[in-house]
Amino acid sequence: MQPEESVVIRRVRTVHGMVRPPGDKSISHRYAMLAGIADGVTRLENFSTGADCASTLGCLRALGVDWERSQNQVVVHGRGGRLQAPKAALDCGNSGSTMRMLSGILAGQGFVSELKGDESLSRRPMARVIAPLESMGARIESNAGGRPPLRIRGGQLKGIGYKMPVASAQVKTSLLFAGLFADGETRIEEPVRTRDHGELALRAFGAEVAQAGNEVCIQGGQKLRAIEATIPGDISSAAFFLCAAGLFPGSQLTVAGLGMNPTRSVLLDLLIGMGVRISVTQLEQHHDELVGTVQVEGSELRGTTIQSPYTEMLIDEIPVLAAIAPYTANGIGIRDARELRVKESDRIAAVAANLRAMGAQVDEREDGLHIPGRQSLHGAELDSFGDHRIAMAFAVAALRAEGETRIRGANAAVISYPEFYDTLASVTQA
Ligand code: S3P
């Protein structure tokens, strides 16, 4: 599929079958980075198939980390803390996670490195990592307003106490990674608790991380040791199928190997509250990450309101929840979601534009949306805005729309879920 290629999605009758989502993107990035600076050989099964995590692997290779990949297995040969100075700018592609989290590691290295990204990433705010990493002792140059590319002069860092102004798991993880290389203790307080994959990954690799309330703390100078791990399925990718099943009363879907870390699984509670029947079996823990199989049965959907702290916990699922909102009985309100405007696209504007193109009434606000329920949508020409989650969210909305929906730039899905359209075709019945 070419980057600008479109897909056509038609109305279906129901959703039925089994989905095994790709390995979690957040965990794949973190495990790969920590494997690169650990002692020994790390073996990762079910590594994310998305292009974003391939960007992380590409950057690691350029930093002297050897790895081999065969399908979804990645074997990383750790360098034990010291990376190699890269010969050219590190290409983070579309991946904000790669740029922000890798910055934390590069801040503690004794060389200069440059991180660049694609057009979308080049617009995204990096001041949120630049400021605290500079106060730890790194020197970072950027474009105006803290935009990429970043030029990082790493060196000996010192631990800091930092109160994060914006809730961001990427920033928290970046500072924890930098804290590994710092003298003394790094203490981070977040405004609301965000996903804790960084903390759990550090512990899996043998580091001690203390956590209490919204505060996490790491001592510098800790050594990491390699692990063997199977990465849980990505709930943010599964979200498209969970919502698709929720759209059709009587649909039956099994999602196997699903990551259900409590800082990520709020979506399941939300959907249950909206009337979807969900049961969980085969619950296990891998390196403290919860994994299970869920059975989903659709029914008439009620609406809901999403606000802080749930907005932050559902941040990647909001596009698809908004896309199905018109089909609910009483609509969906989304508040405290200003961060959505600085994701891979302005997701508030993108959702509003596509819903309107499908004939929906939408109330767009600075920090969210209100989408009334009981609306009928029609097929339309939509745009992915180059954003993987917008493309997939509207493929789901199109399943119940009258007629045909064409999504331009649908190939953006490769960023997190290259198999998405094939999997969608395999579980939908016309
Ligand atoms: C992520 C955190 C979130 C999320 C992103 C992945 C992570 O971003 O939107 O897809 O892996 O930590 P922010 O940290 O910017 O909120």
Side-chain angles (χ1 to χ4, degrees):
M1 197 187 263
Q2 294 304 308
E4 285 314 311
E5 201 163 312
S6 18
V7 297
V8 173
I9 309 279
R10 295 182 183 86
R11 190 186 182 103
V12 301
R13 260 186 315 109
T14 192
V15 171
H16 190 92
M18 218 262 292
V19 170
R20 190 173 278 279
D24 188 89
K25 180 162 91 66
S26 294
I27 300 175
S28 296
H29 283 301
R30 287 163 170 85
Y31 280 4
M33 289 182 199
L34 294 182
I37 55 168
D39 286 317
V41 179
T42 288
R43 194 174 298 275
L44 302 174
E45 306 287 344
N46 200 38
F47 192 81
S48 165
T49 48
D52 263 10
C53 293
S55 292
T56 285
L57 290 177
C59 291
L60 289 172
R61 170 95 74 213
L63 289 160
V65 178
D66 283 335
W67 50 263
E68 300 103 44
R69 178 169 198 162
S70 111
Q71 290 169 345
N72 300 344
Q73 187 199 66
V74 177
V75 176
V76 183
H77 302 264
R79 292 184 56 98
R82 292 277 152 246
L83 298 172
Q84 211 172 65
K87 294 193 176 66
L90 300 164
D91 189 356
C92 303
N94 190 245
S95 175
S97 300
T98 307
M99 187 169 286
R100 295 192 180 119
M101 300 196 290
L102 201 54
S103 293
I105 293 175
L106 293 173
Q109 302 291 318
F111 53 74
V112 177
S113 50
E114 191 176 320
L115 293 158
K116 64 175 187 180
D118 69 6
E119 201 195 319
S120 149
L121 183 52
S122 301
R123 284 194 302 264
R124 297 185 64 189
M126 295 297 147
R128 53 187 66 190
V129 287
I130 296 174
L133 291 175
E134 287 212 311
S135 57
M136 293 177 83
R139 285 287 150 261
I140 305 182
E141 289 164 30
S142 67
N143 274 355
R147 312 283 152 182
L150 303 184
R151 196 180 141 81
I152 303 180
R153 180 177 296 278
Q156 188 50 53
L157 303 179
K158 59 175 193 303
I160 55 166
Y162 187 66
K163 208 170 161 163
M164 290 173 32
V166 191
S168 162
Q170 293 175 357
V171 175
K172 173 177 60 172
T173 302
S174 176
L175 302 183
L176 285 171
F177 286 2
L180 274 179
F181 297 94
D183 286 330
E185 173 184 286
T186 299
R187 188 175 288 275
I188 305 150
E189 190 188 329
E190 9 180 30
V192 298
R193 188 121 194 269
T194 61
R195 62 189 72 185
D196 65 355
H197 303 300
E199 295 89 308
L200 299 188
L202 280 160
R203 287 193 194 123
F205 280 85
E208 270 179 40
V209 181
Q211 188 263 324
N214 289 355
E215 211 174 82
V216 286
C217 181
I218 190 164
Q219 287 291 336
Q222 301 190 63
K223 291 267 167 271
L224 304 182
R225 51 166 198 276
I227 62 166
E228 301 217 338
T230 299
I231 295 173
D234 197 323
I235 193 165
S236 302
S237 297
F240 301 104
F241 292 98
L242 296 168
C243 288
L247 279 183
F248 298 93
S251 65
Q252 302 261 359
L253 186 76
T254 301
V255 182
L258 180 67
M260 294 177 53
N261 175 316
T263 61
R264 293 285 296 286
S265 60
V266 182
L267 175 69
L268 300 179
D269 301 310
L270 186 92
L271 290 173
I272 291 169
M274 289 170 70
V276 181
R277 292 195 193 91
I278 299 183
S279 59
V280 182
T281 56
Q282 297 167 35
L283 214 49
E284 293 172 14
Q285 274 198 327
H286 300 299
H287 293 294
D288 290 336
E289 292 283 359
L290 212 53
V291 187
T293 292
V294 302
Q295 317 280 347
V296 188
E297 202 184 308
S299 71
E300 295 298 337
L301 283 179
R302 292 188 282 274
T304 189
T305 299
I306 302 168
Q307 57 195 358
S308 183
Y310 299 103
T311 306
E312 289 85 346
M313 289 194 268
L314 286 162
I315 199 75
D316 291 338
E317 290 76 71
I318 288 176
V320 66
L321 289 166
I324 63 166
Y327 302 117
T328 63
N330 13 52
I332 296 186
I334 297 150
R335 299 192 192 134
D336 309 314
R338 199 167 276 110
E339 272 293 296
L340 284 179
R341 295 209 180 265
V342 291
K343 293 290 179 188
E344 288 82 329
S345 70
D346 175 342
R347 288 182 173 161
I348 294 179
V351 162
N354 281 344
L355 280 176
R356 286 188 186 123
M358 297 177 88
Q361 186 202 324
V362 182
D363 179 10
E364 180 182 343
R365 297 168 188 173
E366 183 45 35
D367 73 337
L369 294 154
H370 183 263
I371 303 149
R374 292 194 201 288
Q375 306 194 60
S376 306
L377 304 191
H378 56 72
E381 282 267 337
L382 305 180
D383 202 328
S384 72
F385 297 89
D387 184 330
H388 55 131
R389 298 203 201 279
I390 297 298
M392 294 186 277
F394 282 90
V396 173
L399 298 175
R400 255 186 70 171
E402 196 60 60
E404 231 178 58
T405 298
R406 180 177 295 274
I407 305 171
R408 283 190 305 269
N411 188 56
V414 299
I415 288 299
S416 58
Y417 201 166
E419 312 81 7
F420 173 75
Y421 298 105
D422 289 343
T423 308
L424 187 66
S426 77
V427 296
T428 47
Q429 264 109 51

